[in-house]
Amino acid sequence: MFPTHRPRRLRRTEALRRMVTETTIAPHQLVLPMFVKEGAAEPVPIGSMPGVVQHTRDSLRKAAHEAVEAGVGGLMLFGIPITKDAVGSGGIDPDGVLNVALRDLRSDLGDATVLMSDVCLDEFTDHGHCGVLAPDGTVDNDATLRRYGELAVAQAEAGAHLLGPSGMMDGQVGAVRSALDAAGHRDVAVLAYAAKYASAFYGPFREAVESSLEGDRRTYQQDPANVREALREARLDLDEGADLVMVKPAMSYLDVVRAVAEISDVPVAAYQISGEYAMVEAAAEKGWLDRRRAVLETLTSIRRAGADIVLTYWATEVAGWLRTG
Ligand code: PBG
């Protein structure tokens, strides 16, 4: 008895496989996160993220250019200030590192790419939390919202097209939206970190931004065990006017990406975070994985789960592969 149904028929040649592929990745769907360090004379390699650096103002401009040339969809900027304080003043200062870098890139690139920035305090606070602290040491939600409004306006004024409030404060999307509107920035869009989990995979990022955090973020970021809560967060962000919603991290949360994609009527992004990058790089360095195949497989899985857009530290390189084959 020979089987009648032979799915292998469609796998026989490269051309057949290509014709029936369901999930594709295009350069414009990839967003490159970038770090810029105040006062750096040279780009500083990040040990736990081989190939990723803390940029100087100049090297950032050059790398941004290369990314745009390669066709990536956008850039997401993070700043590393020299001095930090309890309320993250460096983020709001128009001469702060992140705002200066946004101004540089907007003047270099205009509207040729989508310039995005992280609306959060953790890079700018001496205690490393994503918000300001109440006298008892807990993160004060509503006082933080006011700071996020100020951060957002500063970043919009510096030239960002799209702002990513990432601190998981309740009401952050609404607060950022109304601060932007009140300051006349009605056209600046908000990428809501709708579902952001308290993940061990942020480890390398903490090195990348020289985080001073002791303890963890479990009173504001989500419990990795919960998916219903992610849907609630996403719905709230949509109600508050989110223009896009994001799930973060990506790979350990593909079911969450899928669930959010099913309820969202705006585009869905997923952030392939520092630890996801580091895992593949480390294994590849040891010769344990075929690096290029592994990278493409991770991105394909995130797209297959339902993400329209993927933030990935491999964005420029992968965009190059996709163009040249
Ligand atoms: C918060 C923020 C973090 C990341 C992006 N925005 C760190 C955190 O929540 O601890 C992590 C990104 C990554 O790990 O690649 N400003």
Side-chain angles (χ1 to χ4, degrees):
M1 268 294 280
F2 301 117
T4 307
H5 297 287
R6 288 179 176 264
R8 286 185 54 196
R9 284 187 193 117
L10 296 181
R11 300 180 197 139
R12 199 160 58 86
T13 69
E14 179 63 34
L16 275 162
R17 292 192 293 272
R18 188 176 60 219
M19 187 181 76
V20 299
T21 198
E22 295 175 32
T23 306
T24 56
I25 311 167
H28 68 86
Q29 295 160 335
L30 306 176
V31 169
L32 179 67
M34 307 177 88
F35 303 102
V36 56
K37 182 176 166 69
E38 185 174 15
E42 295 290 330
V44 183
I46 300 162
S48 53
M49 300 179 74
V52 181
V53 299
Q54 296 174 327
H55 282 290
T56 68
R57 264 177 87 173
D58 281 345
S59 74
L60 181 83
R61 297 172 99 138
K62 190 162 164 282
H65 235 275
E66 285 163 10
V68 174
E69 284 289 296
V72 306
L75 310 171
M76 168 63 86
L77 296 200
F78 297 90
I80 304 133
I82 292 175
T83 45
K84 304 183 182 196
D85 64 19
V87 292
S89 309
I92 290 150
D93 181 356
D95 296 322
V97 58
L98 179 57
N99 297 325
V100 167
L102 283 169
R103 231 175 280 119
D104 284 346
L105 295 192
R106 185 65 189 264
S107 86
D108 288 356
L109 299 164
D111 292 333
T113 190
V114 182
L115 206 51
M116 312 180 199
S117 47
D118 189 51
V119 178
C120 198
L121 288 172
D122 66 316
E123 293 98 352
F124 299 99
T125 51
D126 51 14
H127 46 74
H129 274 294
C130 292
V132 295
L133 303 184
D136 67 358
T138 58
V139 175
D140 183 336
N141 194 87
D142 300 2
T144 300
L145 293 184
R146 283 191 290 281
R147 298 299 276 173
Y148 285 0
E150 292 166 2
L151 278 175
V153 170
Q155 293 174 6
E157 250 135 52
H161 296 97
L162 186 56
L163 303 182
S166 66
M168 291 303 281
M169 296 301 126
D170 293 334
Q172 64 183 10
V173 170
V176 163
R177 183 71 271 152
S178 54
L180 288 171
D181 290 351
H185 296 291
R186 281 178 207 89
D187 294 335
V188 172
V190 178
L191 164 63
Y193 280 65
K196 180 173 178 184
Y197 287 88
S199 171
F201 292 98
Y202 301 136
F205 179 92
R206 306 255 164 104
E207 179 192 348
V209 299
E210 302 172 17
S211 169
S212 26
L213 182 71
E214 282 168 25
D216 60 58
R217 305 199 196 289
R218 279 185 281 190
T219 68
Y220 41 105
Q221 297 180 347
Q222 288 172 234
D223 180 344
N226 296 352
V227 65
R228 191 184 291 139
E229 189 182 356
L231 294 175
R232 181 176 189 213
E233 287 279 4
R235 285 195 192 95
L236 289 170
D237 287 351
L238 291 167
D239 278 353
E240 291 173 29
D243 298 289
L244 303 96
V245 289
M246 181 150 77
V247 174
K248 174 180 180 178
M251 275 162 72
S252 299
Y253 298 87
L254 294 177
D255 59 324
V256 182
V257 174
R258 166 56 55 199
V260 169
E262 278 170 10
I263 63 150
S264 176
D265 53 8
V266 301
V268 176
Y271 195 143
Q272 181 179 57
I273 61 161
S274 57
E276 304 179 52
Y277 175 90
M279 274 196 295
V280 173
E281 289 292 340
E285 205 172 282
K286 285 188 173 281
W288 292 348
L289 286 177
D290 176 331
R291 180 174 176 277
R292 180 164 166 162
R293 283 187 57 204
V295 168
L296 289 171
E297 189 172 327
T298 64
L299 294 172
T300 300
S301 72
I302 297 164
R303 291 266 304 125
R304 192 187 64 234
D308 303 293
I309 299 158
V310 186
L311 278 72
T312 172
Y313 298 96
W314 288 304
T316 305
E317 186 178 10
V318 170
W321 297 343
L322 296 172
R323 289 186 137 198
T324 57

